[in-house]
Amino acid sequence: MTQSKDMKDLVAGFPAQLLEAIEIGEQANISPAKNPIHKVYVAGMGGSGIGADFVASFIREESPVPYVTGKGYELPAWVDENTLAIASSYSGNTEETLSSFNQFLEKGAKVVCLASGGKLIEAAKEKGLDYIQLPGGSPSPRACLGYSLVQQLFVLNKLGLIGASLIDQLRSASALLEKHQEAVKGRAQQIAALIYDRLPVIYTSGRLEPVAIRMRQQFNENGKMLCWHHVIPEMNHNELVGWRQEQSRIAALFLRSSLDSARNQLRTEITKEVVGNFAGSLMEVQAKGENLVEQAMYLVHLADWISVYVADQRGVDAIEIKVIDYLKDSLAKAGE
Ligand code: PA5
């Protein structure tokens, strides 16, 4: 079995992972916060950070408190004893996330750790902090998006910040993905064939930005290629002006949602017209699903499948990330 085939197995297992993650979440114990929670801060990098972007988008209409994702070493000054602070790292050993975790403790925040093991779980056990241990043994944190995303929703639910409806929607999203898996794979193969030797540019609406980020990251890590993304309406006020001459290397991909406002749909049509005049190719995908959660998960699944087919087309191993390992090793050798 090639490494790329392994990543295909992991992608194929995403709908089942969502259900397994829900079972884990249902059994998790999260102790009540000592102080009222006025805001939430999530520290996580790469494949362990992207889940927080989805949660922030999903809970917007429901959560009474802001949900901010941080991807770096330092915390904002407002993280304090009224903050729910979530540290998310699949390995439990990512240095930026560990740095944030140590600052959570200094600030007296209500801390919850999400990891499969490593220093994060060790420290949570030692200090008696809340943690949810994710299933270990995956060769790839980015293939564990379902686990980290679902656990964050459970933490919020158990602390009374959101109800259970988003979790129910993830359950139905899993069924939707199982139902459409073969069609999604077919579409993903077509798209991969059009983009694998080009520079993909992904456009979507603001609410679906996490999907565009996920797609970009999967093209980067699984496909070993560059990619960029932007969102409508913001790109209408800047990037659009850059579309002025032929860009034959660029493959533009528009991710569409029936939930977008009429005004944003119109903006997207006009943007497509402008981009289509100059891009080497232009494709559009309409998300399936009845709500934001289902549509986002549908597009994530499509993105993941495209990325493994891109890896095949480019003759690369979807799982290896030697350059990230090299960077992490070099930093470790350099000391603190
Ligand atoms: O998908 C990957 O392998 C990376 O993006 C990792 O998620 C990232 O380097 C952070 O590591 P971890 O998820 O173990 O915290």
Side-chain angles (χ1 to χ4, degrees), residues 45-48 88-94 97 140-142 221 321 324 328:
M45 307 300 296
S48 293
S88 168
S89 164
Y90 184 74
S91 63
N93 290 325
T94 295
T97 311
S140 184
R142 60 193 174 280
E221 292 191 68
I321 41 157
I324 298 182
K328 287 182 178 177

Side-chain angles (χ1 to χ4, degrees), residues 208-261:
L208 282 174
E209 184 168 18
V211 175
I213 298 172
R214 169 69 172 183
M215 194 177 257
R216 170 164 63 70
Q217 293 177 346
Q218 291 291 74
F219 290 179
N220 295 153
E221 292 191 68
N222 293 348
K224 278 82 189 163
M225 70 194 298
L226 294 175
C227 172
W228 93 70
H229 87 274
H230 212 321
V231 292
I232 296 168
E234 175 60 17
M235 70 78 77
N236 287 172
H237 301 273
N238 35 67
E239 186 165 306
L240 191 63
V241 187
W243 285 98
R244 191 168 278 214
Q245 61 260 334
E246 207 188 316
Q247 302 285 355
S248 52
R249 252 201 88 217
I250 293 182
L253 178 54
F254 284 77
L255 306 177
R256 305 289 302 266
S257 165
S258 56
L259 305 171
D260 283 348
S261 67

Side-chain angles (χ1 to χ4, degrees), residues 8-49:
K8 284 195 191 111
D9 293 339
L10 295 172
V11 170
F14 182 63
Q17 185 184 113
L18 288 174
L19 297 183
E20 188 194 349
I22 291 172
E23 274 173 34
I24 296 170
E26 279 167 345
Q27 280 155 31
N29 285 318
I30 302 295
S31 56
K34 286 198 191 91
N35 304 312
I37 295 169
H38 294 163
K39 55 240 167 169
V40 186
Y41 184 86
V42 188
M45 307 300 296
S48 293

Side-chain angles (χ1 to χ4, degrees), residues 41-44 85-89 97-98 100-101 104 111-115 120:
Y41 184 86
V42 188
I86 301 176
S88 168
S89 164
T97 311
L98 289 171
S100 299
F101 168 77
F104 292 164
V111 181
V112 180
C113 297
L114 308 177
L120 213 46

